[in-house]
Amino acid sequence: MTRYKIVIQYDGTNFSGFQSQKNLSGIQDKIESSIFVLNNNKKVKIHGASRTDAGVHALGQVAHFDLDSKLTDKELRRAINARLDKEIRISHLSKIEESFHSRFDAKSKEYNYLCCLSDNPLYLKDHYHVKNIDIKLLMEVSKIIEGKHNFLSFSKFSNKQNNDCEIFASKWVFDDKNHEKLLYIIHGNRFLHHMVRYLVGSMIAVSQNKISIDDFRTLLNQPIKDAKIFKAPSNGLVLKEIFYEN
């Protein structure tokens, strides 16, 4: 039995998230169904590194699975892709050590969040349309997030004992050439449920003077459960990359 590591790209618009669902509408279900045919109609379970939610996209989701196959890595990747929905693609496939685990071996993750400053219909599907924002204030509040914090205020209600995350980078990038686009980049060792969407929604609210930067700082420094804050929609969120030791 050989263990394979795969990197997955997907448009999550029409799917119920990465994780397997009862109605088989998860990205995981689609990939397992494709491998099923290549394994003499026997199920092969894939293990994903991140459980992206419904509507969230990925450029660098990682997963692993075990399979006996005589195909080369290139042939196997092509065979899986040939049976997948057009919104899902395996961009990389390779053999990996048997001890590798896509989730537990991950050291950090980078998410991107895509915003558009106009109602250009070409961007509305996978961008969050925002207006009347103070970009300078938006960039200022993003720096507060960097470092190690308890992000309980910026997550869906959770019973997790550990809500600490270390954020290595948090920044907004304004496209000077295309004034319609705004990109948020966040890189951290771990993320709580809906954390990036709550952070983005709250930062946008600060930039629109709906809440103050001091209110944001208080939510971060004095974490509370079920905080009444702003959440950005799922369609702008992209799992950009997952980092490992090597």
Tab-separated table of all heavy atoms in Angstrom, residues 147-190:
chain	number	residue	atom	x	y	z
A	147	GLY	N	0.878	38.271	15.789
A	147	GLY	CA	1.331	37.818	17.098
A	147	GLY	C	0.434	36.714	17.627
A	147	GLY	O	-0.438	36.187	16.922
A	148	LYS	N	0.632	36.343	18.863
A	148	LYS	CA	-0.147	35.270	19.492
A	148	LYS	C	-1.285	35.870	20.303
A	148	LYS	O	-1.070	36.713	21.173
A	148	LYS	CB	0.753	34.417	20.383
A	148	LYS	CG	0.078	33.153	20.912
A	148	LYS	CD	1.070	32.275	21.661
A	148	LYS	CE	0.411	30.988	22.144
A	148	LYS	NZ	1.361	30.094	22.848
A	149	HIS	N	-2.511	35.427	20.006
A	149	HIS	CA	-3.700	35.950	20.681
A	149	HIS	C	-4.706	34.823	20.894
A	149	HIS	O	-4.668	33.791	20.225
A	149	HIS	CB	-4.378	37.042	19.849
A	149	HIS	CG	-3.491	38.181	19.475
A	149	HIS	ND1	-3.180	39.208	20.347
A	149	HIS	CD2	-2.851	38.454	18.312
A	149	HIS	CE1	-2.392	40.074	19.735
A	149	HIS	NE2	-2.168	39.639	18.502
A	150	ASN	N	-5.636	35.079	21.807
A	150	ASN	CA	-6.807	34.223	21.978
A	150	ASN	C	-7.888	34.785	21.051
A	150	ASN	O	-8.378	35.895	21.265
A	150	ASN	CB	-7.265	34.242	23.432
A	150	ASN	CG	-8.463	33.331	23.680
A	150	ASN	OD1	-9.325	33.165	22.825
A	150	ASN	ND2	-8.526	32.760	24.873
A	151	PHE	N	-8.280	34.019	20.028
A	151	PHE	CA	-9.201	34.517	19.005
A	151	PHE	C	-10.640	34.061	19.231
A	151	PHE	O	-11.425	33.999	18.283
A	151	PHE	CB	-8.724	34.077	17.617
A	151	PHE	CG	-7.560	34.871	17.098
A	151	PHE	CD1	-6.255	34.446	17.315
A	151	PHE	CD2	-7.762	36.055	16.410
A	151	PHE	CE1	-5.179	35.175	16.839
A	151	PHE	CE2	-6.692	36.797	15.936
A	151	PHE	CZ	-5.397	36.361	16.147
A	152	LEU	N	-10.995	33.772	20.481
A	152	LEU	CA	-12.347	33.296	20.768
A	152	LEU	C	-13.410	34.273	20.276
A	152	LEU	O	-14.454	33.865	19.765
A	152	LEU	CB	-12.507	33.066	22.277
A	152	LEU	CG	-13.883	32.575	22.742
A	152	LEU	CD1	-14.209	31.226	22.110
A	152	LEU	CD2	-13.933	32.470	24.265
A	153	SER	N	-13.173	35.570	20.414
A	153	SER	CA	-14.159	36.570	19.965
A	153	SER	C	-14.400	36.501	18.467
A	153	SER	O	-15.460	36.902	17.982
A	153	SER	CB	-13.686	37.981	20.327
A	153	SER	OG	-13.545	38.158	21.708
A	154	PHE	N	-13.414	36.016	17.730
A	154	PHE	CA	-13.484	35.989	16.276
A	154	PHE	C	-13.658	34.566	15.753
A	154	PHE	O	-13.017	34.162	14.784
A	154	PHE	CB	-12.228	36.627	15.675
A	154	PHE	CG	-12.067	38.069	16.028
A	154	PHE	CD1	-11.268	38.451	17.098
A	154	PHE	CD2	-12.727	39.057	15.304
A	154	PHE	CE1	-11.125	39.786	17.439
A	154	PHE	CE2	-12.590	40.392	15.640
A	154	PHE	CZ	-11.782	40.759	16.708
A	155	SER	N	-14.504	33.807	16.398
A	155	SER	CA	-14.763	32.439	15.939
A	155	SER	C	-16.198	32.076	16.248
A	155	SER	O	-16.832	32.659	17.134
A	155	SER	CB	-13.823	31.438	16.614
A	155	SER	OG	-14.107	31.327	17.989
A	156	LYS	N	-16.692	31.104	15.506
A	156	LYS	CA	-18.005	30.563	15.820
A	156	LYS	C	-17.922	29.916	17.184
A	156	LYS	O	-16.895	29.359	17.556
A	156	LYS	CB	-18.404	29.533	14.754
A	156	LYS	CG	-19.864	29.117	14.812
A	156	LYS	CD	-20.213	28.252	13.597
A	156	LYS	CE	-21.696	27.887	13.624
A	156	LYS	NZ	-22.072	27.066	12.447
A	157	PHE	N	-19.001	29.973	17.957
A	157	PHE	CA	-18.972	29.448	19.327
A	157	PHE	C	-18.315	28.076	19.377
A	157	PHE	O	-18.635	27.190	18.612
A	157	PHE	CB	-20.398	29.352	19.881
A	157	PHE	CG	-20.444	28.813	21.284
A	157	PHE	CD1	-20.163	29.631	22.357
A	157	PHE	CD2	-20.743	27.485	21.524
A	157	PHE	CE1	-20.200	29.139	23.653
A	157	PHE	CE2	-20.780	26.983	22.812
A	157	PHE	CZ	-20.507	27.822	23.880
A	158	SER	N	-17.338	27.944	20.276
A	158	SER	CA	-16.554	26.715	20.337
A	158	SER	C	-16.309	26.309	21.774
A	158	SER	O	-16.177	27.150	22.660
A	158	SER	CB	-15.209	26.922	19.621
A	158	SER	OG	-14.353	25.838	19.846
A	159	ASN	N	-16.255	24.993	22.007
A	159	ASN	CA	-15.922	24.461	23.327
A	159	ASN	C	-14.450	24.106	23.440
A	159	ASN	O	-14.017	23.498	24.408
A	159	ASN	CB	-16.777	23.218	23.636
A	159	ASN	CG	-18.245	23.573	23.828
A	159	ASN	OD1	-18.565	24.581	24.451
A	159	ASN	ND2	-19.130	22.759	23.294
A	160	LYS	N	-13.667	24.492	22.421
A	160	LYS	CA	-12.240	24.192	22.450
A	160	LYS	C	-11.583	24.885	23.644
A	160	LYS	O	-11.847	26.048	23.930
A	160	LYS	CB	-11.564	24.656	21.161
A	160	LYS	CG	-11.920	23.825	19.942
A	160	LYS	CD	-11.138	24.318	18.725
A	160	LYS	CE	-11.435	23.451	17.507
A	160	LYS	NZ	-10.708	23.925	16.314
A	161	GLN	N	-10.722	24.151	24.332
A	161	GLN	CA	-10.012	24.739	25.456
A	161	GLN	C	-8.924	25.696	24.977
A	161	GLN	O	-8.601	26.667	25.654
A	161	GLN	CB	-9.397	23.635	26.328
A	161	GLN	CG	-10.430	22.780	27.050
A	161	GLN	CD	-9.783	21.735	27.940
A	161	GLN	OE1	-8.596	21.460	27.818
A	161	GLN	NE2	-10.565	21.153	28.832
A	162	ASN	N	-8.365	25.427	23.829
A	162	ASN	CA	-7.274	26.252	23.309
A	162	ASN	C	-7.761	27.069	22.123
A	162	ASN	O	-8.002	26.528	21.042
A	162	ASN	CB	-6.095	25.368	22.901
A	162	ASN	CG	-4.947	26.175	22.326
A	162	ASN	OD1	-4.886	27.392	22.490
A	162	ASN	ND2	-4.037	25.506	21.632
A	163	ASN	N	-7.904	28.363	22.327
A	163	ASN	CA	-8.315	29.267	21.262
A	163	ASN	C	-7.178	30.189	20.836
A	163	ASN	O	-7.406	31.189	20.158
A	163	ASN	CB	-9.520	30.093	21.712
A	163	ASN	CG	-10.739	29.225	21.965
A	163	ASN	OD1	-11.312	28.648	21.052
A	163	ASN	ND2	-11.132	29.116	23.227
A	164	ASP	N	-5.957	29.842	21.243
A	164	ASP	CA	-4.790	30.649	20.891
A	164	ASP	C	-4.300	30.303	19.487
A	164	ASP	O	-4.205	29.129	19.120
A	164	ASP	CB	-3.646	30.420	21.880
A	164	ASP	CG	-3.925	31.008	23.255
A	164	ASP	OD1	-4.872	31.816	23.367
A	164	ASP	OD2	-3.213	30.660	24.205
A	165	CYS	N	-3.989	31.324	18.726
A	165	CYS	CA	-3.392	31.166	17.402
A	165	CYS	C	-2.260	32.176	17.277
A	165	CYS	O	-2.354	33.286	17.807
A	165	CYS	CB	-4.413	31.424	16.295
A	165	CYS	SG	-5.923	30.434	16.401
A	166	GLU	N	-1.216	31.782	16.579
A	166	GLU	CA	-0.123	32.708	16.319
A	166	GLU	C	-0.177	33.131	14.855
A	166	GLU	O	-0.102	32.300	13.959
A	166	GLU	CB	1.229	32.066	16.622
A	166	GLU	CG	2.388	33.035	16.484
A	166	GLU	CD	3.716	32.470	16.938
A	166	GLU	OE1	3.761	31.275	17.321
A	166	GLU	OE2	4.715	33.212	16.914
A	167	ILE	N	-0.318	34.429	14.647
A	167	ILE	CA	-0.433	34.965	13.292
A	167	ILE	C	0.900	35.587	12.889
A	167	ILE	O	1.373	36.536	13.509
A	167	ILE	CB	-1.562	36.009	13.210
A	167	ILE	CG1	-2.890	35.380	13.656
A	167	ILE	CG2	-1.666	36.558	11.797
A	167	ILE	CD1	-3.304	34.144	12.883
A	168	PHE	N	1.494	35.033	11.854
A	168	PHE	CA	2.809	35.478	11.394
A	168	PHE	C	2.711	36.691	10.470
A	168	PHE	O	3.629	37.511	10.421
A	168	PHE	CB	3.524	34.336	10.667
A	168	PHE	CG	3.566	33.050	11.454
A	168	PHE	CD1	3.046	31.871	10.924
A	168	PHE	CD2	4.101	33.019	12.729
A	168	PHE	CE1	3.078	30.681	11.648
A	168	PHE	CE2	4.141	31.838	13.464
A	168	PHE	CZ	3.630	30.673	12.924
A	169	ALA	N	1.627	36.777	9.717
A	169	ALA	CA	1.446	37.908	8.804
A	169	ALA	C	-0.036	38.204	8.647
A	169	ALA	O	-0.857	37.286	8.548
A	169	ALA	CB	2.069	37.612	7.444
A	170	SER	N	-0.375	39.487	8.638
A	170	SER	CA	-1.756	39.940	8.435
A	170	SER	C	-1.678	41.272	7.715
A	170	SER	O	-1.204	42.261	8.281
A	170	SER	CB	-2.474	40.086	9.782
A	170	SER	OG	-3.712	40.761	9.632
A	171	LYS	N	-2.121	41.298	6.462
A	171	LYS	CA	-1.998	42.549	5.712
A	171	LYS	C	-3.023	42.632	4.586
A	171	LYS	O	-3.464	41.616	4.037
A	171	LYS	CB	-0.597	42.691	5.126
A	171	LYS	CG	-0.204	41.610	4.130
A	171	LYS	CD	1.229	41.828	3.621
A	171	LYS	CE	1.642	40.747	2.621
A	171	LYS	NZ	3.020	40.948	2.113
A	172	TRP	N	-3.382	43.863	4.276
A	172	TRP	CA	-4.232	44.156	3.122
A	172	TRP	C	-3.355	44.691	2.001
A	172	TRP	O	-2.457	45.497	2.234
A	172	TRP	CB	-5.291	45.194	3.487
A	172	TRP	CG	-6.390	44.648	4.343
A	172	TRP	CD1	-6.434	44.642	5.707
A	172	TRP	CD2	-7.598	44.039	3.896
A	172	TRP	NE1	-7.598	44.062	6.143
A	172	TRP	CE2	-8.333	43.691	5.057
A	172	TRP	CE3	-8.136	43.762	2.633
A	172	TRP	CZ2	-9.579	43.071	4.982
A	172	TRP	CZ3	-9.381	43.147	2.567
A	172	TRP	CH2	-10.086	42.809	3.717
A	173	VAL	N	-3.624	44.249	0.788
A	173	VAL	CA	-2.875	44.690	-0.381
A	173	VAL	C	-3.850	45.336	-1.356
A	173	VAL	O	-4.801	44.688	-1.816
A	173	VAL	CB	-2.148	43.511	-1.063
A	173	VAL	CG1	-1.399	43.993	-2.295
A	173	VAL	CG2	-1.195	42.829	-0.079
A	174	PHE	N	-3.623	46.607	-1.638
A	174	PHE	CA	-4.463	47.340	-2.581
A	174	PHE	C	-3.815	47.291	-3.946
A	174	PHE	O	-2.632	47.596	-4.096
A	174	PHE	CB	-4.626	48.791	-2.117
A	174	PHE	CG	-5.490	49.624	-3.013
A	174	PHE	CD1	-6.813	49.297	-3.240
A	174	PHE	CD2	-4.972	50.762	-3.627
A	174	PHE	CE1	-7.621	50.074	-4.060
A	174	PHE	CE2	-5.761	51.549	-4.454
A	174	PHE	CZ	-7.094	51.200	-4.669
A	175	ASP	N	-4.558	46.867	-4.939
A	175	ASP	CA	-4.047	46.758	-6.305
A	175	ASP	C	-4.040	48.138	-6.956
A	175	ASP	O	-5.084	48.650	-7.369
A	175	ASP	CB	-4.914	45.773	-7.107
A	175	ASP	CG	-4.305	45.415	-8.450
A	175	ASP	OD1	-3.461	46.190	-8.934
A	175	ASP	OD2	-4.672	44.370	-9.004
A	176	ASP	N	-2.851	48.737	-7.036
A	176	ASP	CA	-2.728	50.077	-7.606
A	176	ASP	C	-3.093	50.115	-9.085
A	176	ASP	O	-3.548	51.135	-9.605
A	176	ASP	CB	-1.300	50.608	-7.429
A	176	ASP	CG	-0.983	50.911	-5.972
A	176	ASP	OD1	-1.927	51.301	-5.252
A	176	ASP	OD2	0.175	50.759	-5.558
A	177	LYS	N	-2.858	49.013	-9.797
A	177	LYS	CA	-3.148	48.961	-11.222
A	177	LYS	C	-4.630	48.732	-11.483
A	177	LYS	O	-5.192	49.213	-12.452
A	177	LYS	CB	-2.313	47.863	-11.883
A	177	LYS	CG	-0.813	48.136	-11.861
A	177	LYS	CD	-0.046	47.032	-12.571
A	177	LYS	CE	1.460	47.306	-12.554
A	177	LYS	NZ	2.223	46.233	-13.227
A	178	ASN	N	-5.256	47.933	-10.617
A	178	ASN	CA	-6.684	47.663	-10.753
A	178	ASN	C	-7.374	48.143	-9.485
A	178	ASN	O	-7.417	47.429	-8.493
A	178	ASN	CB	-6.914	46.162	-10.972
A	178	ASN	CG	-8.382	45.829	-11.188
A	178	ASN	OD1	-9.258	46.660	-10.968
A	178	ASN	ND2	-8.650	44.610	-11.619
A	179	HIS	N	-7.899	49.336	-9.504
A	179	HIS	CA	-8.445	49.956	-8.304
A	179	HIS	C	-9.746	49.316	-7.830
A	179	HIS	O	-10.340	49.771	-6.856
A	179	HIS	CB	-8.651	51.458	-8.543
A	179	HIS	CG	-7.350	52.207	-8.634
A	179	HIS	ND1	-7.279	53.572	-8.546
A	179	HIS	CD2	-6.081	51.779	-8.811
A	179	HIS	CE1	-6.011	53.964	-8.658
A	179	HIS	NE2	-5.267	52.882	-8.830
A	180	GLU	N	-10.165	48.283	-8.523
A	180	GLU	CA	-11.393	47.597	-8.124
A	180	GLU	C	-11.132	46.491	-7.105
A	180	GLU	O	-12.063	46.005	-6.483
A	180	GLU	CB	-12.079	46.984	-9.346
A	180	GLU	CG	-12.615	48.002	-10.338
A	180	GLU	CD	-13.308	47.335	-11.506
A	180	GLU	OE1	-12.685	46.475	-12.158
A	180	GLU	OE2	-14.468	47.666	-11.761
A	181	LYS	N	-9.875	46.077	-6.950
A	181	LYS	CA	-9.582	44.888	-6.140
A	181	LYS	C	-8.785	45.204	-4.874
A	181	LYS	O	-7.916	46.077	-4.862
A	181	LYS	CB	-8.812	43.863	-6.970
A	181	LYS	CG	-9.661	43.168	-8.021
A	181	LYS	CD	-8.898	42.015	-8.639
A	181	LYS	CE	-9.759	41.214	-9.596
A	181	LYS	NZ	-9.051	40.018	-10.118
A	182	LEU	N	-9.094	44.431	-3.829
A	182	LEU	CA	-8.424	44.537	-2.539
A	182	LEU	C	-8.236	43.126	-2.003
A	182	LEU	O	-9.179	42.324	-2.001
A	182	LEU	CB	-9.287	45.361	-1.580
A	182	LEU	CG	-8.721	45.760	-0.227
A	182	LEU	CD1	-7.502	46.658	-0.391
A	182	LEU	CD2	-9.788	46.494	0.578
A	183	LEU	N	-7.023	42.808	-1.576
A	183	LEU	CA	-6.691	41.446	-1.143
A	183	LEU	C	-6.211	41.439	0.301
A	183	LEU	O	-5.360	42.252	0.688
A	183	LEU	CB	-5.584	40.874	-2.038
A	183	LEU	CG	-4.961	39.536	-1.622
A	183	LEU	CD1	-5.978	38.408	-1.753
A	183	LEU	CD2	-3.719	39.241	-2.457
A	184	TYR	N	-6.752	40.516	1.107
A	184	TYR	CA	-6.269	40.325	2.480
A	184	TYR	C	-5.493	39.018	2.549
A	184	TYR	O	-5.936	37.986	2.039
A	184	TYR	CB	-7.435	40.282	3.468
A	184	TYR	CG	-7.001	40.013	4.895
A	184	TYR	CD1	-6.135	40.891	5.548
A	184	TYR	CD2	-7.447	38.886	5.580
A	184	TYR	CE1	-5.726	40.657	6.850
A	184	TYR	CE2	-7.050	38.657	6.886
A	184	TYR	CZ	-6.183	39.533	7.510
A	184	TYR	OH	-5.772	39.291	8.805
A	185	ILE	N	-4.320	39.063	3.172
A	185	ILE	CA	-3.458	37.888	3.323
A	185	ILE	C	-3.221	37.644	4.804
A	185	ILE	O	-2.818	38.561	5.541
A	185	ILE	CB	-2.094	38.112	2.618
A	185	ILE	CG1	-2.297	38.372	1.129
A	185	ILE	CG2	-1.182	36.902	2.823
A	185	ILE	CD1	-1.045	38.828	0.405
A	186	ILE	N	-3.469	36.416	5.264
A	186	ILE	CA	-3.213	36.058	6.652
A	186	ILE	C	-2.531	34.691	6.705
A	186	ILE	O	-2.946	33.745	6.039
A	186	ILE	CB	-4.504	36.078	7.502
A	186	ILE	CG1	-4.188	35.818	8.979
A	186	ILE	CG2	-5.561	35.125	6.963
A	186	ILE	CD1	-5.347	36.104	9.929
A	187	HIS	N	-1.459	34.612	7.486
A	187	HIS	CA	-0.665	33.388	7.605
A	187	HIS	C	-0.493	33.103	9.091
A	187	HIS	O	-0.014	33.962	9.841
A	187	HIS	CB	0.695	33.593	6.929
A	187	HIS	CG	1.622	32.430	7.029
A	187	HIS	ND1	2.986	32.532	6.905
A	187	HIS	CD2	1.379	31.097	7.262
A	187	HIS	CE1	3.546	31.352	7.040
A	187	HIS	NE2	2.586	30.460	7.256
A	188	GLY	N	-0.910	31.911	9.519
A	188	GLY	CA	-0.820	31.579	10.932
A	188	GLY	C	-0.624	30.101	11.174
A	188	GLY	O	-0.753	29.281	10.254
A	189	ASN	N	-0.325	29.752	12.417
A	189	ASN	CA	-0.073	28.342	12.742
A	189	ASN	C	-1.359	27.520	12.809
A	189	ASN	O	-1.338	26.315	12.575
A	189	ASN	CB	0.708	28.224	14.049
A	189	ASN	CG	-0.107	28.649	15.270
A	189	ASN	OD1	-1.015	29.489	15.180
A	189	ASN	ND2	0.209	28.080	16.424
A	190	ARG	N	-2.490	28.183	13.086
A	190	ARG	CA	-3.786	27.502	13.127
A	190	ARG	C	-4.894	28.546	13.075
A	190	ARG	O	-4.650	29.737	13.325
A	190	ARG	CB	-3.925	26.618	14.383
A	190	ARG	CG	-3.888	27.393	15.703
A	190	ARG	CD	-3.724	26.473	16.901
A	190	ARG	NE	-4.857	25.611	17.109
A	190	ARG	CZ	-5.849	25.878	17.974
A	190	ARG	NH1	-5.847	26.990	18.704
A	190	ARG	NH2	-6.844	25.043	18.118
